[in-house]
Amino acid sequence: MQRFFQTGPGEYGEGDLFAGLRVPQVRAFARAYRDISLDDMTAVLQSGYHEARFLALVLLADRFRRGDEAEQAEIYRRYLAHTRFINNWDLVDSSARHIVGAWLAQRDRAPLYRLARSADLWERRIAIIATQAFIRDHDFADTLKIAEMLRDDPHDLIHKAVGWMLREVGNRDRAAEEEFLERHCRQMPRTMLRYAIEKFPPTLRRRYLDGTVGP
């Protein structure tokens, strides 16, 4: 698991610790302890062990779903106050949509743009992954704006996240995705483009990869 999550010197997960628990085991803990306090969840989120932080985020997302508006606001506040502990792709991907995206779905989305401009890799990933909550409601504007902001990001994990969200847009509105790709495909990192066009017909996918689509 340490190799998979790249915890070696200079890698994105440098220094992270693993207890060796599988995801189903962590989710079993989450079912058993779903009613612990927000303070306890926050304490677990600050653990040095990856699986403990994953557990805390599963618990917070579940509590957010079940909570009233005041409790949801507090969970959202705590989440953004502790992003330094949400420091790997699985931690972001399992929580950003359910907490940040869900909270901002009917609110001002300016916080996403602040996250997208962050120097922190994981805050930038939170920004784009959170928009999955909007995509599911066929609301693509913020996804596409943040994708454009992150198009030239230096990190492969952002390339993958942006490509994934573009693909999610295309699953609901192919024309919206293609309009974006026609403007940006020649400048996009190859990984981002490959993720975005993964479900395109082979001939169209090849045209994008060859750079024969676009203005």
mmCIF file of all heavy atoms in Angstrom, residues 11-28:
data_model
loop_
_atom_site.group_PDB
_atom_site.id
_atom_site.type_symbol
_atom_site.label_atom_id
_atom_site.label_comp_id
_atom_site.label_asym_id
_atom_site.label_seq_id
_atom_site.Cartn_x
_atom_site.Cartn_y
_atom_site.Cartn_z
ATOM 1 N N GLU A 11 7.944 11.644 -3.174
ATOM 2 C CA GLU A 11 6.694 11.260 -3.824
ATOM 3 C C GLU A 11 5.522 11.982 -3.172
ATOM 4 O O GLU A 11 5.631 12.538 -2.079
ATOM 5 C CB GLU A 11 6.512 9.743 -3.760
ATOM 6 C CG GLU A 11 7.563 8.976 -4.552
ATOM 7 C CD GLU A 11 7.361 7.477 -4.515
ATOM 8 O OE1 GLU A 11 7.104 6.935 -3.410
ATOM 9 O OE2 GLU A 11 7.465 6.838 -5.578
ATOM 10 N N TYR A 12 4.359 11.941 -3.827
ATOM 11 C CA TYR A 12 3.258 12.771 -3.360
ATOM 12 C C TYR A 12 2.722 12.336 -1.996
ATOM 13 O O TYR A 12 2.149 13.127 -1.262
ATOM 14 C CB TYR A 12 2.126 12.842 -4.391
ATOM 15 C CG TYR A 12 1.460 11.534 -4.752
ATOM 16 C CD1 TYR A 12 0.579 10.895 -3.880
ATOM 17 C CD2 TYR A 12 1.672 10.944 -5.995
ATOM 18 C CE1 TYR A 12 -0.046 9.711 -4.224
ATOM 19 C CE2 TYR A 12 1.055 9.757 -6.351
ATOM 20 C CZ TYR A 12 0.191 9.142 -5.460
ATOM 21 O OH TYR A 12 -0.430 7.966 -5.807
ATOM 22 N N GLY A 13 2.887 11.075 -1.622
ATOM 23 C CA GLY A 13 2.421 10.601 -0.326
ATOM 24 C C GLY A 13 3.541 10.397 0.678
ATOM 25 O O GLY A 13 3.398 9.597 1.606
ATOM 26 N N GLU A 14 4.619 11.142 0.507
ATOM 27 C CA GLU A 14 5.817 10.925 1.313
ATOM 28 C C GLU A 14 5.503 10.884 2.817
ATOM 29 O O GLU A 14 4.849 11.783 3.352
ATOM 30 C CB GLU A 14 6.842 12.032 1.053
ATOM 31 C CG GLU A 14 8.121 11.879 1.853
ATOM 32 C CD GLU A 14 9.174 12.925 1.510
ATOM 33 O OE1 GLU A 14 8.920 13.743 0.594
ATOM 34 O OE2 GLU A 14 10.236 12.929 2.147
ATOM 35 N N GLY A 15 5.982 9.817 3.461
ATOM 36 C CA GLY A 15 5.878 9.713 4.906
ATOM 37 C C GLY A 15 4.570 9.174 5.442
ATOM 38 O O GLY A 15 4.430 8.970 6.657
ATOM 39 N N ASP A 16 3.580 8.914 4.579
ATOM 40 C CA ASP A 16 2.295 8.420 5.061
ATOM 41 C C ASP A 16 2.461 7.018 5.645
ATOM 42 O O ASP A 16 3.291 6.232 5.191
ATOM 43 C CB ASP A 16 1.271 8.397 3.917
ATOM 44 C CG ASP A 16 -0.160 8.529 4.414
ATOM 45 O OD1 ASP A 16 -0.375 8.502 5.644
ATOM 46 O OD2 ASP A 16 -1.070 8.647 3.567
ATOM 47 N N LEU A 17 1.652 6.723 6.656
ATOM 48 C CA LEU A 17 1.715 5.440 7.347
ATOM 49 C C LEU A 17 0.441 4.643 7.078
ATOM 50 O O LEU A 17 -0.655 5.218 7.007
ATOM 51 C CB LEU A 17 1.868 5.648 8.852
ATOM 52 C CG LEU A 17 3.098 6.430 9.318
ATOM 53 C CD1 LEU A 17 3.028 6.655 10.819
ATOM 54 C CD2 LEU A 17 4.377 5.690 8.942
ATOM 55 N N PHE A 18 0.584 3.326 6.972
ATOM 56 C CA PHE A 18 -0.555 2.452 6.710
ATOM 57 C C PHE A 18 -0.607 1.339 7.739
ATOM 58 O O PHE A 18 0.420 0.735 8.073
ATOM 59 C CB PHE A 18 -0.460 1.853 5.302
ATOM 60 C CG PHE A 18 -0.738 2.835 4.211
ATOM 61 C CD1 PHE A 18 0.253 3.707 3.786
ATOM 62 C CD2 PHE A 18 -1.983 2.929 3.636
ATOM 63 C CE1 PHE A 18 0.010 4.646 2.800
ATOM 64 C CE2 PHE A 18 -2.243 3.859 2.638
ATOM 65 C CZ PHE A 18 -1.248 4.725 2.221
ATOM 66 N N ALA A 19 -1.813 1.052 8.221
ATOM 67 C CA ALA A 19 -2.016 -0.048 9.155
ATOM 68 C C ALA A 19 -2.265 -1.361 8.423
ATOM 69 O O ALA A 19 -2.200 -2.427 9.030
ATOM 70 C CB ALA A 19 -3.198 0.266 10.074
ATOM 71 N N GLY A 20 -2.588 -1.290 7.132
ATOM 72 C CA GLY A 20 -2.822 -2.501 6.355
ATOM 73 C C GLY A 20 -4.278 -2.908 6.276
ATOM 74 O O GLY A 20 -4.590 -4.038 5.885
ATOM 75 N N LEU A 21 -5.195 -1.991 6.608
ATOM 76 C CA LEU A 21 -6.627 -2.303 6.538
ATOM 77 C C LEU A 21 -7.151 -2.110 5.124
ATOM 78 O O LEU A 21 -6.772 -1.167 4.431
ATOM 79 C CB LEU A 21 -7.413 -1.407 7.491
ATOM 80 C CG LEU A 21 -7.110 -1.559 8.981
ATOM 81 C CD1 LEU A 21 -7.868 -0.515 9.779
ATOM 82 C CD2 LEU A 21 -7.460 -2.953 9.467
ATOM 83 N N ARG A 22 -8.045 -2.993 4.709
ATOM 84 C CA ARG A 22 -8.714 -2.867 3.417
ATOM 85 C C ARG A 22 -9.926 -1.947 3.548
ATOM 86 O O ARG A 22 -10.480 -1.768 4.638
ATOM 87 C CB ARG A 22 -9.158 -4.236 2.912
ATOM 88 C CG ARG A 22 -8.017 -5.243 2.757
ATOM 89 C CD ARG A 22 -7.088 -4.843 1.641
ATOM 90 N NE ARG A 22 -6.028 -5.827 1.427
ATOM 91 C CZ ARG A 22 -5.088 -5.723 0.511
ATOM 92 N NH1 ARG A 22 -5.057 -4.660 -0.276
ATOM 93 N NH2 ARG A 22 -4.167 -6.649 0.365
ATOM 94 N N VAL A 23 -10.365 -1.422 2.402
ATOM 95 C CA VAL A 23 -11.501 -0.488 2.415
ATOM 96 C C VAL A 23 -12.743 -1.100 3.053
ATOM 97 O O VAL A 23 -13.413 -0.436 3.869
ATOM 98 C CB VAL A 23 -11.784 0.029 0.993
ATOM 99 C CG1 VAL A 23 -13.098 0.812 0.957
ATOM 100 C CG2 VAL A 23 -10.642 0.927 0.519
ATOM 101 N N PRO A 24 -13.119 -2.348 2.755
ATOM 102 C CA PRO A 24 -14.310 -2.902 3.422
ATOM 103 C C PRO A 24 -14.184 -2.945 4.942
ATOM 104 O O PRO A 24 -15.182 -2.753 5.659
ATOM 105 C CB PRO A 24 -14.410 -4.323 2.832
ATOM 106 C CG PRO A 24 -13.743 -4.228 1.505
ATOM 107 C CD PRO A 24 -12.605 -3.261 1.712
ATOM 108 N N GLN A 25 -12.976 -3.174 5.451
ATOM 109 C CA GLN A 25 -12.780 -3.157 6.894
ATOM 110 C C GLN A 25 -12.998 -1.761 7.465
ATOM 111 O O GLN A 25 -13.627 -1.595 8.513
ATOM 112 C CB GLN A 25 -11.374 -3.643 7.233
ATOM 113 C CG GLN A 25 -11.114 -5.109 6.919
ATOM 114 C CD GLN A 25 -9.656 -5.477 7.139
ATOM 115 O OE1 GLN A 25 -8.767 -5.010 6.418
ATOM 116 N NE2 GLN A 25 -9.389 -6.300 8.131
ATOM 117 N N VAL A 26 -12.479 -0.757 6.769
ATOM 118 C CA VAL A 26 -12.652 0.626 7.230
ATOM 119 C C VAL A 26 -14.129 1.004 7.212
ATOM 120 O O VAL A 26 -14.638 1.633 8.148
ATOM 121 C CB VAL A 26 -11.825 1.592 6.365
ATOM 122 C CG1 VAL A 26 -12.072 3.040 6.794
ATOM 123 C CG2 VAL A 26 -10.334 1.263 6.465
ATOM 124 N N ARG A 27 -14.822 0.603 6.166
ATOM 125 C CA ARG A 27 -16.248 0.945 6.085
ATOM 126 C C ARG A 27 -17.052 0.214 7.155
ATOM 127 O O ARG A 27 -18.087 0.724 7.615
ATOM 128 C CB ARG A 27 -16.772 0.651 4.682
ATOM 129 C CG ARG A 27 -16.182 1.604 3.628
ATOM 130 C CD ARG A 27 -16.946 1.592 2.329
ATOM 131 N NE ARG A 27 -16.383 2.519 1.369
ATOM 132 C CZ ARG A 27 -16.630 3.820 1.323
ATOM 133 N NH1 ARG A 27 -17.469 4.368 2.200
ATOM 134 N NH2 ARG A 27 -16.067 4.591 0.400
ATOM 135 N N ALA A 28 -16.621 -0.959 7.563
ATOM 136 C CA ALA A 28 -17.283 -1.647 8.668
ATOM 137 C C ALA A 28 -17.121 -0.851 9.963
ATOM 138 O O ALA A 28 -18.069 -0.723 10.753
ATOM 139 C CB ALA A 28 -16.722 -3.059 8.825
#
